[in-house]
Amino acid sequence: MLEALFLLYFLVLLGTLVFKSRIVTGPWLFLLRAFFPNWKFFHATGNVPHLYARWALPPKAPTEPLQWSDWIHVFPRRPRRLRHLFHNADTNLSLVQQNLVEHLAADLNHMAADADARALVSYQLVSRLVCQSLQAQQADCTHGQFEVRMVLDGPTGFIQEDTMMRSPVLACR
């Protein structure tokens, strides 16, 4: 009986390799993808999307240009602790936020060249997330901007870093 189950298992595996199924797509699937993590790291190593942002304080005079801060990494890696084996809500939240950035990068890759990224739901969610993050760091910031950078990590730091997109100036209020 056990041998028959193994044989059936390998026949099913062989069948999935030989017969390709069609890919299911549709707008309703976009609503369900929030429940599933992005598993692309199993396919290959490579560039990973990172989110960087900067803020501007309100100008002192209406004719003055905005004074921008330096670019900051919005979701840096969280430190590990032994207690995180049992309760790790902050790191789980940052993983969800990073998953959202990865979905935005995937949406940008699949977008037509002349399309506007601001129409994407993932773009709108990331821009709200950036404004919340900037206001948590600098309470009186009124404007923000973010970049999605594709970063290739190495053992000693970043090997390569390319800007995938830069948002227009956001009104963060």
Side-chain angles (χ1 to χ4, degrees):
M1 179 70 176
L2 188 60
E3 292 85 11
L5 288 175
F6 275 124
L7 181 63
L8 180 65
Y9 172 72
F10 286 113
L11 287 176
V12 168
L13 283 179
L14 182 65
T16 59
L17 291 174
V18 172
F19 300 108
K20 301 287 182 192
S21 63
R22 73 181 179 98
I23 297 173
V24 180
T25 60
W28 57 273
L29 261 173
F30 182 80
L31 299 174
L32 294 176
R33 77 179 191 180
F35 295 106
F36 302 104
N38 193 348
W39 294 103
K40 287 189 177 182
F41 59 86
F42 283 123
H43 295 296
T45 59
N47 295 341
V48 176
H50 287 239
L51 188 65
Y52 287 83
R54 64 181 181 168
W55 69 82
L57 300 175
K60 295 179 178 144
T63 58
E64 275 188 27
L66 293 172
Q67 297 296 318
W68 290 100
S69 68
D70 292 333
W71 290 100
I72 57 169
H73 193 198
V74 178
F75 305 121
R77 186 175 291 273
R78 306 274 179 150
R80 294 181 182 170
R81 307 269 188 264
L82 184 60
R83 63 183 154 88
H84 289 166
L85 288 173
F86 305 105
H87 182 68
N88 199 1
D90 290 337
T91 303
N92 288 342
L93 178 62
S94 67
L95 287 173
V96 168
Q97 292 165 339
Q98 178 61 32
N99 191 20
L100 180 61
V101 173
E102 290 175 6
H103 280 299
L104 174 61
D107 288 347
L108 290 171
N109 278 333
H110 292 102
M111 223 172 66
D114 60 342
D116 188 12
R118 291 177 288 184
L120 297 171
V121 174
S122 57
Y123 176 89
Q124 295 168 11
L125 289 171
V126 168
S127 64
R128 284 185 184 177
L129 191 62
V130 165
C131 284
Q132 288 175 352
S133 175
L134 291 177
Q135 287 175 338
Q137 291 184 11
Q138 185 71 31
D140 56 345
C141 80
T142 57
H143 296 83
Q145 192 175 28
F146 69 91
E147 283 184 348
V148 177
R149 297 180 189 172
M150 299 304 287
V151 177
L152 183 61
D153 289 323
T156 59
F158 296 156
I159 295 174
Q160 180 183 357
E161 188 174 355
D162 297 318
T163 300
M164 184 177 200
M165 75 150 290
R166 181 180 286 179
S167 74
V169 176
L170 307 170
C172 295
R173 293 186 184 124

